[in-house]
Amino acid sequence: MSIDIDTARRVAKLARIRVEEDALPALASEFNAVLGFIEQLSEVDVDGVEPMTSVTPMRLKRRKDGVTDGGMQEKILSNAPDAREGFFAVPKVVE
């Protein structure tokens, strides 16, 4: 896949990036370099390679899933500008 100047202009517009007309060829060239690198990566044989979350083997830290604080509904709602029936009351946003 090759990115031409018109496509680079469209991508810049969609990304809301102002690119001067004389800089569009360089931007298209950079896009093509990135796509070329991605094509190189797709050629790598990854059969049998296990997905990983980090380059170093480590387990994610886990914590016990338990309630650590609670029973303070009245105290918390005392700071609310408008509370009704035990909940924060907010203005209706969607009709």
Side-chain angles (χ1 to χ4, degrees), residues 19-72:
V19 179
E20 300 299 326
E21 195 67 31
D22 59 338
L24 284 172
L27 181 63
S29 176
E30 288 180 34
F31 283 154
N32 285 321
V34 169
L35 290 176
F37 181 69
I38 292 172
E39 286 177 5
Q40 282 182 341
L41 289 177
S42 68
E43 296 172 2
V44 176
D45 180 23
V46 293
D47 290 336
V49 177
E50 199 173 316
M52 55 187 195
T53 58
S54 175
V55 293
T56 58
M58 58 188 282
R59 294 190 50 87
L60 296 175
K61 295 179 182 175
R62 301 191 186 260
R63 63 174 172 82
K64 182 181 175 187
D65 189 17
V67 177
T68 58
D69 204 1
M72 303 185 324

Side-chain angles (χ1 to χ4, degrees), residues 1-8 28-29 31-33 35-36 39:
M1 179 177 188
S2 180
I3 302 291
D4 59 358
I5 294 175
D6 290 331
T7 306
S29 176
F31 283 154
N32 285 321
L35 290 176
E39 286 177 5

